[in-house]
Each structure stands twice: as structure tokens, then as C-alpha cells.
Amino acid sequence: MARDHKPFRRRARVIAASATVAALTAGGTALAGFPVSAASKPKGHDVSSHQKNVNWQSAKAKGARFVYVKATESHTYRNPYFSQQYNGARDTGIIRGAYHFAVPNKSSGTAQAAHFVRNGGAWRADGWTLPPALDIEYNPYGKKKCYGLSKAKMVSWIKAFSAEVKRETGRRPVIYTTTHWWNTCTGGSRAFATNHSLWLARYDSADAGTLPAGWSFWTFWQYDNSGTLPGDQNLFNGSLTQLKKFAKG
């Protein structure tokens, strides 16, 4: 089984363009929009077992300020490199968080959230730990792109995952997705935008483009699947100070 595969990711030329974006408060709510160039935003990345043992000193020297580390998938898989990646980032002074790859046709949202929290998805208000993240996207393991779930059942699955993460950690998960997947597999649900930060995946573009239904701004933007940092390349939508406040919650 191909772990850590993201079928919609295509290598793209990175274009850092100026854009009007919304800042975040510590609680993740929007402030008035203000122009910030992409080059001024904190750089980050995300890694999984594919990157194996990461050279964190090198990553920090190249500008990494935050990273999301894959912890789990479905209700059984655990990233065998998680400790080196997650703890190594923190030891080097990089803000880090954990993410879970959802496989909604294998088990309930509650079961997968519990597995995630037990195996790296916990959160604490230390200013160095990003809120847990849910990676939900097209099915890499079969032809049923939405895992065979109806739009209503997919929304219910995500709600169950979110509720369990919130119950166990005190934070709502960040949701990683694409606009196309979200609008296709949830029917453009607006049920999450008010209390879930968006981690948007979009390549081949000068900016983040159209957002999934409900969201008016992104918190993280994954703009390429390769670059100067190990793994996928990301930006945070604000300043480094705001990133630290967002982590602290």
C-alpha cells in the first residue's frame, strides 16, 4: 500500500506574489485584510515517512519556521519516523504539529481521531505545538474518489473526527484539502469554516485561488510538493508572531 501518496499533487513552479490576506488572532479568527508579500510570510513544510530522518538544522538554516509531521493514517498506521521528525523539529526551534491522513471508508471519524491523538496528535499550549490537522483528499487507494461516501456522510465523518479531536485536545483540527475535493465530496459544505482553520493545497498558481466553500481566507497554503525544504512547501498566512499565537491557541 502506497503510504503518504497525494494523488492531486503535481510539481509546480513556485511564484511568490503579493496578495491581500487576512491575519489571524490567537484564536484563529480573521482580522481586517492587509497586503503582505508571500516572501514575508513564515515558510514551512510537511513531512511523512517518505522523508525518513530529517536534517532539522539544515531545514531551519534554509528558513523553516514550522512543520507538520504525518503521525497516522486510518485507524492502524503510524509513521515510523514520527519521533525523529516531530521531536527533532522542536529540539531545533521549529514550531511543529501533527497531521492524520483520513481514510473514511475504513473506520469512523471518531475511531481515527482517537488513534491519531494517541499516536502523536495531542496538543498543548506551549507555543511550539500547532493544532492537530486532518488531511482529507481524494482516495489514493481506489477508484471511488470520495471513498464511496455520500456528501452528507462525508460531512458527518469529518464532524465526528473534529468532535473527538476537540474533546481530547481542546482544539479543533486544521483541515487540509483542495477546493475541488471539498466541493466535490462534501457538496461545498460550509459547516466547518467558522471554527476550523484551512490548510489549502494548490499548485501551478501565483496565489491560493478560489477557496473551499465557507472559508474566506487560508491559514496555511501548500504551494508545491518540492523545494528548498524537505517534503511539501507551505506558507503561513500572517507573521511569525501570529504563528506563535496561533500555535498557543
Side-chain angles (χ1 to χ4, degrees), residues 55-120:
N55 185 332
W56 290 109
Q57 291 289 351
S58 175
K60 187 177 182 182
K62 291 177 181 178
R65 298 296 175 261
F66 69 91
V67 65
Y68 263 108
V69 178
K70 180 174 181 178
T72 52
E73 179 174 321
S74 188
H75 59 281
T76 55
Y77 175 78
R78 297 182 295 171
N79 174 8
Y81 295 92
F82 180 78
S83 293
Q84 190 278 341
Q85 294 174 345
Y86 188 79
N87 296 326
R90 171 65 184 90
D91 292 343
T92 311
I94 297 173
I95 299 170
R96 84 289 198 243
Y99 78 88
H100 172 81
F101 187 91
V103 189
N105 62 335
K106 293 296 184 181
S107 52
S108 69
T110 301
Q112 292 194 26
H115 173 63
F116 174 44
V117 173
R118 286 195 305 269
N119 294 285

Side-chain angles (χ1 to χ4, degrees), residues 18-231:
S18 297
T20 299
V21 298
L24 296 176
T25 66
T29 56
L31 297 175
F34 63 100
V36 181
S37 69
S40 72
K41 298 183 180 73
K43 291 171 56 180
H45 54 138
D46 59 272
V47 298
S48 65
S49 63
H50 182 71
Q51 282 71 44
K52 299 183 178 179
N53 290 321
V54 175
N55 185 332
W56 290 109
Q57 291 289 351
S58 175
K60 187 177 182 182
K62 291 177 181 178
R65 298 296 175 261
F66 69 91
V67 65
Y68 263 108
V69 178
K70 180 174 181 178
T72 52
E73 179 174 321
S74 188
H75 59 281
T76 55
Y77 175 78
R78 297 182 295 171
N79 174 8
Y81 295 92
F82 180 78
S83 293
Q84 190 278 341
Q85 294 174 345
Y86 188 79
N87 296 326
R90 171 65 184 90
D91 292 343
T92 311
I94 297 173
I95 299 170
R96 84 289 198 243
Y99 78 88
H100 172 81
F101 187 91
V103 189
N105 62 335
K106 293 296 184 181
S107 52
S108 69
T110 301
Q112 292 194 26
H115 173 63
F116 174 44
V117 173
R118 286 195 305 269
N119 294 285
W123 173 81
R124 55 187 177 186
D126 57 3
W128 291 97
T129 307
L130 293 168
L134 171 65
D135 176 349
I136 191 152
E137 56 185 78
Y138 285 118
N139 180 8
Y141 303 126
K143 294 182 179 180
K144 295 180 179 179
K145 294 183 177 181
C146 300
Y147 298 90
L149 274 65
S150 68
K151 295 176 177 66
K153 287 184 177 179
M154 185 64 76
V155 169
S156 295
W157 193 98
I158 298 169
K159 285 182 176 179
F161 183 95
S162 174
E164 183 63 16
V165 169
K166 176 66 164 61
R167 187 187 72 81
E168 294 201 37
T169 72
R171 294 292 298 265
R172 291 286 183 185
V174 172
I175 294 178
Y176 169 99
T177 193
T178 66
T179 298
H180 193 269
W181 185 91
W182 191 262
N183 293 339
T184 299
C185 295
T186 74
S189 173
R190 296 175 176 269
F192 301 91
T194 57
N195 57 0
H196 293 75
S197 297
L198 174 65
W199 180 5
L200 182 72
R202 177 180 169 86
Y203 304 157
D204 300 320
S205 178
D207 57 46
T210 302
L211 304 183
W215 278 282
S216 59
F217 65 96
W218 51 269
T219 299
F220 297 101
W221 173 23
Q222 184 189 86
Y223 60 85
D224 204 349
N225 65 352
S226 66
T228 58
L229 302 177

